[in-house]
Amino acid sequence: MREISTQTITETVKKLCIEANCHLTEDVKNCIRCKRDEEGWQGAKDILNRIIENFEIADKENQPVCQDTGVACVFLKIGQDVHVNGSITDAVNEGVRQGYGEGYLRKSVVRDPLDRVNTGDNTPAMIYYDLVEGDKMEITVAPKGFGSENMSKIAMLRPSDGVEGVRNFVLRAVEEAGPNPCPPIVVGVGVGGTFDKAAFLAKKALLRSLDERNEDPFYAKLEEELLEGINSLGIGPQGFGGRTTALAVNIEKFPTHIAGLPVAVNINCHVARHKSEVI
Amino acid sequence: MAIKKIVAPLSHEEAKKLRAGDSCLFSGVIYTARDAAHKRLCELVAKGEKLPIDVNESVIYFVGPTPAKPGQAIGSAGPTTSYRMDAYSPTLISLGQTGMIGKGKRGPEVVEAMKKHGAVYFGAIGGLGALLSKCIKKAEIVAYEDLGAEAIRRLEVEDFPVVVVIDSEGNNLYESGRKEYLDSLK
Protein backbone atom coordinates (compact mmCIF):
# COMPACT_ATOMS: atom_id res chain seq x y z
CA MET A 1 0.00 0.00 0.00
CA ARG A 2 1.37 3.39 -1.02
CA GLU A 3 0.23 6.58 0.65
CA ILE A 4 -0.69 9.63 -1.46
CA SER A 5 -1.62 12.77 0.44
CA THR A 6 -4.68 14.84 -0.37
CA GLN A 7 -2.31 17.79 -0.57
CA THR A 8 -0.39 16.19 -3.46
CA ILE A 9 -3.68 15.58 -5.30
CA THR A 10 -4.79 19.18 -4.74
CA GLU A 11 -1.45 20.61 -5.90
CA THR A 12 -1.44 18.43 -9.03
CA VAL A 13 -5.03 19.30 -10.00
CA LYS A 14 -4.35 22.99 -9.45
CA LYS A 15 -1.28 22.91 -11.69
CA LEU A 16 -3.04 20.89 -14.41
CA CYS A 17 -6.05 23.28 -14.47
CA ILE A 18 -3.76 26.23 -15.20
CA GLU A 19 -1.50 24.40 -17.67
CA ALA A 20 -4.36 22.85 -19.63
CA ASN A 21 -6.08 26.21 -20.06
CA CYS A 22 -3.00 28.18 -21.12
CA HIS A 23 -1.01 25.64 -23.13
CA LEU A 24 -2.45 23.35 -25.78
CA THR A 25 -0.77 19.96 -26.18
CA GLU A 26 1.67 19.47 -29.07
CA ASP A 27 -0.62 17.05 -30.93
CA VAL A 28 -3.35 19.70 -31.15
CA LYS A 29 -0.94 22.47 -32.18
CA ASN A 30 0.72 20.27 -34.81
CA CYS A 31 -2.62 19.15 -36.19
CA ILE A 32 -3.87 22.74 -36.58
CA ARG A 33 -0.61 23.74 -38.33
CA CYS A 34 -0.86 20.74 -40.62
CA LYS A 35 -4.50 21.48 -41.52
CA ARG A 36 -3.54 25.11 -42.18
CA ASP A 37 -0.91 23.95 -44.67
CA GLU A 38 -3.40 21.62 -46.39
CA GLU A 39 -6.26 24.15 -46.52
CA GLY A 40 -6.78 25.39 -50.07
CA TRP A 41 -9.44 28.05 -49.36
CA GLN A 42 -7.81 31.38 -48.53
CA GLY A 43 -10.41 32.65 -46.06
CA ALA A 44 -10.19 29.40 -44.13
CA LYS A 45 -6.40 29.50 -44.12
CA ASP A 46 -6.48 33.05 -42.73
CA ILE A 47 -8.67 31.95 -39.82
CA LEU A 48 -6.40 28.99 -39.05
CA ASN A 49 -3.45 31.38 -39.00
CA ARG A 50 -5.24 33.56 -36.43
CA ILE A 51 -5.96 30.46 -34.35
CA ILE A 52 -2.24 29.58 -34.43
CA GLU A 53 -1.30 33.16 -33.52
CA ASN A 54 -3.72 32.97 -30.59
CA PHE A 55 -2.33 29.77 -29.04
CA GLU A 56 1.19 31.12 -29.49
CA ILE A 57 0.27 34.27 -27.54
CA ALA A 58 -1.36 32.12 -24.86
CA ASP A 59 1.79 29.99 -24.60
CA LYS A 60 4.10 32.98 -24.34
CA GLU A 61 2.02 34.97 -21.89
CA ASN A 62 0.52 32.16 -19.78
CA GLN A 63 -2.88 33.44 -20.82
CA PRO A 64 -5.99 31.25 -21.20
CA VAL A 65 -6.29 30.25 -24.88
CA CYS A 66 -10.06 30.80 -24.68
CA GLN A 67 -12.17 32.80 -22.23
CA ASP A 68 -14.40 29.76 -21.69
CA THR A 69 -12.03 27.96 -19.36
CA GLY A 70 -14.73 25.36 -19.05
CA VAL A 71 -16.09 23.06 -16.46
CA ALA A 72 -13.19 21.01 -15.04
CA CYS A 73 -13.56 17.39 -16.14
CA VAL A 74 -11.16 15.37 -14.00
CA PHE A 75 -10.36 11.76 -14.84
CA LEU A 76 -8.70 9.71 -12.10
CA LYS A 77 -7.06 6.34 -12.63
CA ILE A 78 -6.52 5.18 -9.08
CA GLY A 79 -4.19 2.27 -8.39
CA GLN A 80 -5.76 -0.36 -6.13
CA ASP A 81 -2.68 -0.26 -3.91
CA VAL A 82 -2.99 3.46 -3.24
CA HIS A 83 -4.25 4.81 0.06
CA VAL A 84 -5.29 8.45 0.42
CA ASN A 85 -5.43 10.08 3.86
CA GLY A 86 -8.76 11.86 3.31
CA SER A 87 -11.41 12.62 0.70
CA ILE A 88 -10.18 12.32 -2.90
CA THR A 89 -13.22 14.25 -4.12
CA ASP A 90 -12.59 17.15 -1.74
CA ALA A 91 -8.91 17.18 -2.67
CA VAL A 92 -9.75 17.43 -6.39
CA ASN A 93 -12.30 20.19 -5.85
CA GLU A 94 -9.84 22.14 -3.72
CA GLY A 95 -7.32 21.87 -6.58
CA VAL A 96 -9.92 23.22 -9.02
CA ARG A 97 -10.79 26.05 -6.60
CA GLN A 98 -7.13 27.06 -6.24
CA GLY A 99 -6.27 26.59 -9.92
CA TYR A 100 -9.18 28.65 -11.22
CA GLY A 101 -8.53 31.32 -8.59
CA GLU A 102 -4.76 31.68 -8.79
CA GLY A 103 -4.70 31.07 -12.55
CA TYR A 104 -7.14 33.91 -13.33
CA LEU A 105 -9.45 31.42 -15.02
CA ARG A 106 -13.17 32.07 -15.54
CA LYS A 107 -15.62 30.65 -13.05
CA SER A 108 -18.36 29.16 -15.19
CA VAL A 109 -20.24 26.75 -12.91
CA VAL A 110 -23.72 27.43 -11.48
CA ARG A 111 -24.83 25.63 -8.30
CA ASP A 112 -28.20 24.55 -9.71
CA PRO A 113 -29.18 24.16 -13.37
CA LEU A 114 -32.40 26.10 -12.81
CA ASP A 115 -31.64 28.75 -10.19
CA ARG A 116 -28.30 29.44 -11.92
CA VAL A 117 -26.30 31.07 -9.14
CA ASN A 118 -22.55 30.94 -9.86
CA THR A 119 -20.58 28.94 -7.30
CA GLY A 120 -17.78 31.50 -7.66
CA ASP A 121 -14.87 29.05 -7.73
CA ASN A 122 -15.68 26.76 -10.68
CA THR A 123 -16.44 23.81 -8.40
CA PRO A 124 -17.67 21.18 -8.37
CA ALA A 125 -15.53 19.41 -10.94
CA MET A 126 -17.01 16.59 -13.04
CA ILE A 127 -14.96 13.72 -11.61
CA TYR A 128 -14.63 10.25 -13.13
CA TYR A 129 -13.08 7.50 -11.02
CA ASP A 130 -11.45 4.45 -12.52
CA LEU A 131 -9.83 1.71 -10.44
CA VAL A 132 -6.71 0.19 -12.01
CA GLU A 133 -3.90 -2.08 -10.88
CA GLY A 134 -0.80 -0.63 -9.25
CA ASP A 135 0.20 1.91 -6.64
CA LYS A 136 0.04 5.12 -8.65
CA MET A 137 -2.64 7.63 -9.53
CA GLU A 138 -3.03 9.26 -12.95
CA ILE A 139 -4.84 12.58 -12.97
CA THR A 140 -6.13 14.13 -16.20
CA VAL A 141 -7.74 17.56 -16.24
CA ALA A 142 -9.78 18.36 -19.35
CA PRO A 143 -11.47 21.78 -19.14
CA LYS A 144 -14.57 21.57 -21.37
CA GLY A 145 -16.16 24.62 -22.94
CA PHE A 146 -19.89 24.63 -23.51
CA GLY A 147 -20.13 26.19 -26.95
CA SER A 148 -19.13 22.79 -28.25
CA GLU A 149 -20.62 20.72 -25.41
CA ASN A 150 -24.07 22.15 -26.25
CA MET A 151 -23.81 20.73 -29.78
CA SER A 152 -23.30 17.16 -28.57
CA LYS A 153 -25.89 14.45 -29.26
CA ILE A 154 -26.85 10.90 -28.35
CA ALA A 155 -29.04 8.31 -30.08
CA MET A 156 -30.20 4.80 -29.32
CA LEU A 157 -29.95 3.31 -32.83
CA ARG A 158 -31.26 -0.11 -33.83
CA PRO A 159 -28.74 -2.92 -34.43
CA SER A 160 -30.02 -3.02 -38.03
CA ASP A 161 -28.88 0.60 -38.52
CA GLY A 162 -25.31 -0.71 -38.38
CA VAL A 163 -22.23 1.24 -39.35
CA GLU A 164 -24.24 3.32 -41.86
CA GLY A 165 -26.51 4.46 -39.03
CA VAL A 166 -23.50 5.48 -36.96
CA ARG A 167 -21.96 7.31 -39.91
CA ASN A 168 -25.15 9.23 -40.70
CA PHE A 169 -25.73 10.18 -37.07
CA VAL A 170 -22.21 11.59 -36.65
CA LEU A 171 -22.35 13.54 -39.92
CA ARG A 172 -25.80 14.92 -39.07
CA ALA A 173 -24.63 16.06 -35.62
CA VAL A 174 -21.71 17.98 -37.16
CA GLU A 175 -23.90 19.42 -39.95
CA GLU A 176 -26.54 20.63 -37.49
CA ALA A 177 -23.89 22.16 -35.22
CA GLY A 178 -22.51 24.14 -38.19
CA PRO A 179 -20.60 27.21 -37.01
CA ASN A 180 -21.77 27.06 -33.37
CA PRO A 181 -19.08 24.88 -31.74
CA CYS A 182 -16.16 26.97 -33.11
CA PRO A 183 -14.90 24.74 -35.93
CA PRO A 184 -12.41 23.29 -36.62
CA ILE A 185 -13.71 20.79 -34.08
CA VAL A 186 -12.59 17.51 -32.58
CA VAL A 187 -15.32 14.87 -32.72
CA GLY A 188 -15.47 12.32 -29.90
CA VAL A 189 -17.70 9.34 -30.69
CA GLY A 190 -18.83 6.68 -28.23
CA VAL A 191 -20.35 3.50 -29.69
CA GLY A 192 -21.91 0.75 -27.59
CA GLY A 193 -22.38 0.25 -23.85
CA THR A 194 -25.55 1.77 -22.40
CA PHE A 195 -27.13 5.25 -22.75
CA ASP A 196 -24.76 6.78 -20.19
CA LYS A 197 -21.74 4.64 -21.09
CA ALA A 198 -21.86 5.78 -24.73
CA ALA A 199 -21.80 9.42 -23.62
CA PHE A 200 -18.86 8.73 -21.31
CA LEU A 201 -16.98 6.95 -24.12
CA ALA A 202 -17.53 9.96 -26.39
CA LYS A 203 -16.03 12.26 -23.76
CA LYS A 204 -13.16 9.85 -23.11
CA ALA A 205 -12.44 9.75 -26.86
CA LEU A 206 -11.63 13.48 -26.67
CA LEU A 207 -8.70 12.71 -24.34
CA ARG A 208 -6.89 10.68 -26.98
CA SER A 209 -4.04 12.34 -28.86
CA LEU A 210 -5.16 13.63 -32.26
CA ASP A 211 -2.41 11.71 -34.06
CA GLU A 212 -3.43 8.31 -32.61
CA ARG A 213 -6.08 6.23 -34.32
CA ASN A 214 -8.24 3.56 -32.68
CA GLU A 215 -6.18 0.41 -32.16
CA ASP A 216 -8.87 -1.68 -33.90
CA PRO A 217 -8.23 -1.33 -37.68
CA PHE A 218 -11.97 -1.32 -38.47
CA TYR A 219 -12.58 1.65 -36.18
CA ALA A 220 -9.34 3.36 -37.24
CA LYS A 221 -10.63 3.25 -40.83
CA LEU A 222 -14.05 4.49 -39.73
CA GLU A 223 -12.36 7.45 -37.99
CA GLU A 224 -10.56 8.35 -41.21
CA GLU A 225 -13.71 7.97 -43.31
CA LEU A 226 -15.77 10.10 -40.95
CA LEU A 227 -13.10 12.81 -40.92
CA GLU A 228 -13.12 12.85 -44.72
CA GLY A 229 -16.93 12.97 -44.73
CA ILE A 230 -17.01 15.86 -42.25
CA ASN A 231 -14.33 17.79 -44.13
CA SER A 232 -16.35 17.45 -47.33
CA LEU A 233 -19.34 19.26 -45.79
CA GLY A 234 -17.84 22.68 -46.62
CA ILE A 235 -18.61 24.25 -43.21
CA GLY A 236 -14.96 25.23 -42.70
CA PRO A 237 -13.23 27.12 -39.89
CA GLN A 238 -15.82 29.20 -37.99
CA GLY A 239 -18.46 28.12 -40.51
CA PHE A 240 -17.41 30.63 -43.18
CA GLY A 241 -16.63 27.89 -45.73
CA GLY A 242 -13.58 25.71 -46.32
CA ARG A 243 -12.27 22.20 -45.92
CA THR A 244 -11.11 22.22 -42.30
CA THR A 245 -14.33 21.58 -40.38
CA ALA A 246 -12.75 18.97 -38.08
CA LEU A 247 -9.22 18.23 -36.90
CA ALA A 248 -9.88 14.60 -35.97
CA VAL A 249 -12.54 12.00 -35.22
CA ASN A 250 -11.80 9.76 -32.22
CA ILE A 251 -14.04 6.76 -31.61
CA GLU A 252 -14.21 4.65 -28.44
CA LYS A 253 -16.32 1.48 -28.40
CA PHE A 254 -17.62 -0.97 -25.82
CA PRO A 255 -19.68 -4.20 -25.84
CA THR A 256 -23.43 -3.62 -25.76
CA HIS A 257 -26.81 -5.38 -25.44
CA ILE A 258 -28.19 -7.60 -28.25
CA ALA A 259 -31.05 -5.12 -28.71
CA GLY A 260 -29.07 -1.89 -28.89
CA LEU A 261 -26.63 0.34 -30.71
CA PRO A 262 -26.07 3.47 -28.60
CA VAL A 263 -24.08 6.26 -30.30
CA ALA A 264 -22.96 9.48 -28.68
CA VAL A 265 -21.19 12.42 -30.28
CA ASN A 266 -19.29 14.77 -27.96
CA ILE A 267 -17.96 17.78 -29.84
CA ASN A 268 -14.89 19.72 -28.78
CA CYS A 269 -13.69 23.00 -30.27
CA HIS A 270 -10.18 23.63 -31.62
CA VAL A 271 -9.18 24.60 -28.08
CA ALA A 272 -9.05 20.86 -27.29
CA ARG A 273 -7.55 20.87 -23.80
CA HIS A 274 -6.26 18.11 -21.56
CA LYS A 275 -3.21 17.63 -19.36
CA SER A 276 -2.20 14.55 -17.36
CA GLU A 277 0.23 13.67 -14.61
CA VAL A 278 1.01 10.48 -12.73
CA ILE A 279 1.61 10.81 -8.99
CA MET B 1 -11.06 42.73 -49.93
CA ALA B 2 -10.52 46.06 -48.18
CA ILE B 3 -11.01 46.10 -44.44
CA LYS B 4 -13.57 48.66 -43.27
CA LYS B 5 -12.93 50.77 -40.20
CA ILE B 6 -16.12 51.23 -38.23
CA VAL B 7 -17.00 53.03 -35.03
CA ALA B 8 -19.18 52.15 -32.05
CA PRO B 9 -21.76 53.33 -31.10
CA LEU B 10 -22.92 52.43 -34.60
CA SER B 11 -25.55 54.63 -36.29
CA HIS B 12 -28.44 52.96 -38.11
CA GLU B 13 -27.26 54.68 -41.28
CA GLU B 14 -23.77 53.14 -41.04
CA ALA B 15 -25.15 49.77 -40.01
CA LYS B 16 -27.29 49.61 -43.15
CA LYS B 17 -24.24 50.19 -45.37
CA LEU B 18 -22.52 47.00 -44.19
CA ARG B 19 -22.82 43.76 -46.16
CA ALA B 20 -22.42 40.12 -45.19
CA GLY B 21 -18.78 39.14 -45.73
CA ASP B 22 -17.33 42.60 -45.00
CA SER B 23 -14.24 42.42 -42.82
CA CYS B 24 -14.26 45.27 -40.32
CA LEU B 25 -12.17 46.72 -37.52
CA PHE B 26 -14.26 48.13 -34.69
CA SER B 27 -13.12 51.06 -32.57
CA GLY B 28 -15.02 52.91 -29.86
CA VAL B 29 -17.28 51.86 -27.02
CA ILE B 30 -19.11 48.53 -26.92
CA TYR B 31 -20.86 46.70 -24.09
CA THR B 32 -20.56 43.09 -22.97
CA ALA B 33 -23.61 41.01 -22.11
CA ARG B 34 -24.42 37.32 -22.25
CA ASP B 35 -27.26 35.08 -21.06
CA ALA B 36 -27.87 36.33 -17.49
CA ALA B 37 -27.42 40.06 -18.29
CA HIS B 38 -29.72 39.84 -21.33
CA LYS B 39 -32.37 38.21 -19.17
CA ARG B 40 -32.19 41.04 -16.63
CA LEU B 41 -32.25 43.75 -19.32
CA CYS B 42 -35.35 42.27 -20.92
CA GLU B 43 -37.07 41.91 -17.55
CA LEU B 44 -36.52 45.66 -17.00
CA VAL B 45 -37.93 46.41 -20.45
CA ALA B 46 -41.00 44.29 -19.67
CA LYS B 47 -41.55 46.28 -16.47
CA GLY B 48 -41.03 49.58 -18.28
CA GLU B 49 -38.01 50.46 -16.15
CA LYS B 50 -34.83 52.31 -17.12
CA LEU B 51 -31.91 50.21 -18.42
CA PRO B 52 -28.39 50.54 -16.95
CA ILE B 53 -26.93 51.19 -20.44
CA ASP B 54 -28.06 53.27 -23.41
CA VAL B 55 -29.19 50.64 -25.89
CA ASN B 56 -29.83 53.03 -28.79
CA GLU B 57 -27.13 52.61 -31.47
CA SER B 58 -25.26 50.30 -29.11
CA VAL B 59 -23.05 47.37 -30.04
CA ILE B 60 -23.23 44.44 -27.64
CA TYR B 61 -20.45 41.87 -27.51
CA PHE B 62 -21.54 38.42 -26.31
CA VAL B 63 -18.60 37.61 -24.06
CA GLY B 64 -17.72 36.55 -20.54
CA PRO B 65 -14.00 37.33 -20.10
CA THR B 66 -11.52 35.63 -17.80
CA PRO B 67 -10.40 37.80 -14.85
CA ALA B 68 -7.75 40.39 -15.72
CA LYS B 69 -4.30 39.74 -14.32
CA PRO B 70 -2.54 42.71 -12.71
CA GLY B 71 -1.63 45.18 -15.46
CA GLN B 72 -4.18 43.85 -17.95
CA ALA B 73 -7.29 45.75 -19.08
CA ILE B 74 -9.18 42.47 -19.39
CA GLY B 75 -8.45 38.73 -19.48
CA SER B 76 -9.08 36.47 -22.46
CA ALA B 77 -12.18 37.70 -24.26
CA GLY B 78 -13.47 35.83 -27.30
CA PRO B 79 -17.12 35.54 -28.38
CA THR B 80 -19.68 33.11 -26.95
CA THR B 81 -22.31 31.27 -29.03
CA SER B 82 -25.04 33.74 -29.98
CA TYR B 83 -28.20 31.66 -30.35
CA ARG B 84 -28.65 31.64 -26.59
CA MET B 85 -29.38 35.38 -26.86
CA ASP B 86 -32.04 34.88 -29.57
CA ALA B 87 -34.83 35.10 -27.00
CA TYR B 88 -33.67 38.58 -25.99
CA SER B 89 -32.02 40.26 -29.00
CA PRO B 90 -35.25 41.27 -30.84
CA THR B 91 -36.35 43.30 -27.81
CA LEU B 92 -33.05 45.20 -27.65
CA ILE B 93 -32.95 45.70 -31.43
CA SER B 94 -36.44 47.22 -31.27
CA LEU B 95 -35.01 49.71 -28.75
CA GLY B 96 -32.29 50.76 -31.19
CA GLN B 97 -29.43 48.30 -30.74
CA THR B 98 -27.51 48.28 -34.03
CA GLY B 99 -24.78 45.70 -33.53
CA MET B 100 -24.21 42.29 -31.98
CA ILE B 101 -20.84 40.55 -31.88
CA GLY B 102 -20.80 36.79 -31.29
CA LYS B 103 -20.37 33.52 -33.14
CA GLY B 104 -22.74 30.93 -34.55
CA LYS B 105 -26.21 30.85 -36.05
CA ARG B 106 -29.13 33.20 -35.26
CA GLY B 107 -32.83 32.40 -35.33
CA PRO B 108 -35.33 33.83 -37.85
CA GLU B 109 -36.90 36.07 -35.19
CA VAL B 110 -33.57 37.87 -34.73
CA VAL B 111 -32.99 38.26 -38.47
CA GLU B 112 -36.52 39.67 -38.91
CA ALA B 113 -35.87 42.26 -36.17
CA MET B 114 -32.53 43.16 -37.78
CA LYS B 115 -34.19 43.73 -41.16
CA LYS B 116 -37.03 45.73 -39.67
CA HIS B 117 -34.91 48.06 -37.55
CA GLY B 118 -31.55 48.05 -39.37
CA ALA B 119 -29.11 46.06 -37.23
CA VAL B 120 -26.06 43.94 -38.01
CA TYR B 121 -24.74 40.65 -36.61
CA PHE B 122 -20.95 40.49 -36.54
CA GLY B 123 -18.82 37.40 -35.98
CA ALA B 124 -15.56 37.38 -34.07
CA ILE B 125 -13.40 34.26 -34.30
CA GLY B 126 -14.39 31.86 -31.54
CA GLY B 127 -11.57 30.58 -29.36
CA LEU B 128 -9.32 33.60 -29.94
CA GLY B 129 -9.56 34.85 -26.37
CA ALA B 130 -5.90 35.74 -25.88
CA LEU B 131 -5.54 37.51 -29.24
CA LEU B 132 -8.80 39.49 -29.14
CA SER B 133 -8.12 40.78 -25.61
CA LYS B 134 -5.24 42.82 -27.09
CA CYS B 135 -7.78 45.00 -28.93
CA ILE B 136 -9.61 45.88 -25.71
CA LYS B 137 -7.93 48.87 -24.17
CA LYS B 138 -10.19 49.51 -21.20
CA ALA B 139 -12.91 47.59 -19.38
CA GLU B 140 -15.16 48.62 -16.52
CA ILE B 141 -18.19 46.99 -14.99
CA VAL B 142 -21.27 49.17 -15.40
CA ALA B 143 -24.01 46.81 -14.17
CA TYR B 144 -24.72 43.48 -12.46
CA GLU B 145 -21.35 43.03 -10.77
CA ASP B 146 -22.83 40.07 -8.87
CA LEU B 147 -22.86 38.10 -12.14
CA GLY B 148 -19.05 37.93 -12.23
CA ALA B 149 -17.93 37.07 -15.77
CA GLU B 150 -21.50 37.76 -16.93
CA ALA B 151 -21.62 41.36 -15.61
CA ILE B 152 -22.19 44.15 -18.16
CA ARG B 153 -18.88 45.80 -18.99
CA ARG B 154 -18.16 48.96 -20.95
CA LEU B 155 -15.25 48.23 -23.28
CA GLU B 156 -13.09 50.65 -25.19
CA VAL B 157 -11.88 48.77 -28.25
CA GLU B 158 -9.35 49.60 -30.93
CA ASP B 159 -9.31 47.85 -34.30
CA PHE B 160 -11.24 44.88 -32.93
CA PRO B 161 -11.53 42.42 -35.89
CA VAL B 162 -15.00 41.24 -36.90
CA VAL B 163 -16.74 40.08 -40.04
CA VAL B 164 -20.34 40.86 -40.99
CA VAL B 165 -22.16 37.52 -40.74
CA ILE B 166 -25.75 38.73 -41.21
CA ASP B 167 -26.45 42.20 -42.61
CA SER B 168 -29.54 44.41 -42.28
CA GLU B 169 -31.00 42.86 -45.45
CA GLY B 170 -30.71 39.36 -44.02
CA ASN B 171 -27.81 38.18 -46.21
CA ASN B 172 -25.94 35.43 -44.36
CA LEU B 173 -22.23 34.67 -44.67
CA TYR B 174 -22.64 31.19 -43.15
CA GLU B 175 -24.80 30.29 -46.16
CA SER B 176 -22.96 32.22 -48.89
CA GLY B 177 -19.42 31.40 -47.65
CA ARG B 178 -20.07 27.68 -47.55
CA LYS B 179 -21.82 27.72 -50.94
CA GLU B 180 -18.99 29.69 -52.55
CA TYR B 181 -16.42 27.20 -51.22
CA LEU B 182 -18.41 24.14 -52.35
CA ASP B 183 -19.06 25.71 -55.77
CA SER B 184 -15.31 26.28 -56.17
CA LEU B 185 -14.79 22.50 -55.97
CA LYS B 186 -17.18 21.74 -58.84
Side-chain angles (χ1 to χ4, degrees), chain A residues 41 53-54 57 61-65 67 104-106 147 150-151 175-176 179-180 182 233-234 238-240 242-243 270, chain B residues 34 64 66-70 72 76 78-79 81 83 103-105 126-131 134 173-174 177-178 181 184:
Chain A
W41 192 242
E53 200 185 329
N54 182 66
I57 291 173
E61 301 181 5
N62 273 320
Q63 185 69 21
V65 179
Q67 77 291 334
Y104 293 91
L105 306 177
R106 197 178 81 184
N150 279 336
M151 296 297 116
E175 168 87 50
E176 283 173 12
N180 290 3
C182 285
L233 292 173
Q238 297 298 308
F240 297 143
R243 174 162 171 79
H270 57 86
Chain B
R34 34 176 297 152
T66 60
K69 291 180 186 170
Q72 286 183 324
S76 294
T81 324
Y83 74 91
K103 54 124 176 154
K105 293 181 261 194
L128 247 56
L131 182 64
K134 306 273 183 200
L173 178 63
Y174 289 137
R178 187 176 174 188
Y181 167 72
S184 79

Side-chain angles (χ1 to χ4, degrees), chain A residues 21-96:
Chain A
N21 272 299
C22 300
H23 308 284
L24 295 182
T25 47
E26 289 304 314
D27 60 308
V28 175
K29 292 194 237 179
N30 289 338
C31 185
I32 295 173
R33 289 192 183 107
C34 177
K35 296 286 179 202
R36 183 265 320 264
D37 294 342
E38 288 168 8
E39 178 61 67
W41 192 242
Q42 193 55 46
K45 212 186 215 0
D46 291 344
I47 291 170
L48 294 171
N49 273 323
R50 301 309 291 272
I51 287 171
I52 292 166
E53 200 185 329
N54 182 66
F55 69 61
E56 287 174 351
I57 291 173
D59 258 344
K60 204 169 113 199
E61 301 181 5
N62 273 320
Q63 185 69 21
V65 179
C66 176
Q67 77 291 334
D68 186 355
T69 50
V71 57
C73 296
V74 180
F75 297 79
L76 302 173
K77 280 187 190 166
I78 306 167
Q80 291 171 153
D81 298 326
V82 167
H83 179 258
V84 178
N85 65 338
S87 162
I88 297 176
T89 304
D90 290 351
V92 168
N93 280 321
E94 184 55 29
V96 169

Side-chain angles (χ1 to χ4, degrees), chain A residues 92-229:
Chain A
V92 168
N93 280 321
E94 184 55 29
V96 169
R97 187 174 292 119
Q98 291 180 14
Y100 275 72
E102 293 173 33
Y104 293 91
L105 306 177
R106 197 178 81 184
K107 289 77 182 171
S108 310
V109 175
V110 292
R111 68 179 182 188
D112 178 295
L114 294 177
D115 88 8
R116 307 204 71 81
V117 176
N118 199 301
T119 61
D121 58 10
N122 220 49
T123 67
M126 307 292 150
I127 311 177
Y128 304 90
Y129 309 84
D130 194 7
L131 279 177
V132 297
E133 287 182 10
D135 63 356
K136 293 188 167 49
M137 186 187 293
E138 184 187 288
I139 304 178
T140 299
V141 175
K144 187 65 173 71
F146 253 59
S148 54
E149 190 76 359
N150 279 336
M151 296 297 116
S152 303
K153 285 194 163 62
I154 192 159
M156 303 304 281
L157 301 182
R158 296 167 300 183
S160 63
D161 292 325
V163 68
E164 267 319 297
V166 172
R167 208 189 303 269
N168 290 338
F169 182 69
V170 174
L171 286 174
R172 203 169 66 234
V174 173
E175 168 87 50
E176 283 173 12
N180 290 3
C182 285
I185 55 176
V186 178
V187 184
V189 182
V191 188
T194 49
F195 180 76
D196 52 312
K197 180 84 176 180
F200 172 72
L201 291 171
K203 173 133 284 118
K204 199 175 148 208
L206 295 176
L207 302 181
R208 199 204 305 154
S209 178
L210 300 191
D211 49 19
E212 276 173 38
R213 300 277 52 84
N214 193 298
E215 57 189 29
D216 180 323
F218 176 82
Y219 285 89
K221 187 159 168 276
L222 186 56
E223 288 176 345
E224 299 285 2
E225 286 168 1
L226 279 171
L227 181 63
E228 181 56 34

Side-chain angles (χ1 to χ4, degrees), chain B residues 121-141:
Chain B
Y121 172 50
F122 300 92
I125 298 179
L128 247 56
L131 182 64
L132 291 171
S133 69
K134 306 273 183 200
C135 307
I136 300 169
K137 302 301 172 188
K138 203 173 159 194
E140 58 173 332
I141 293 179

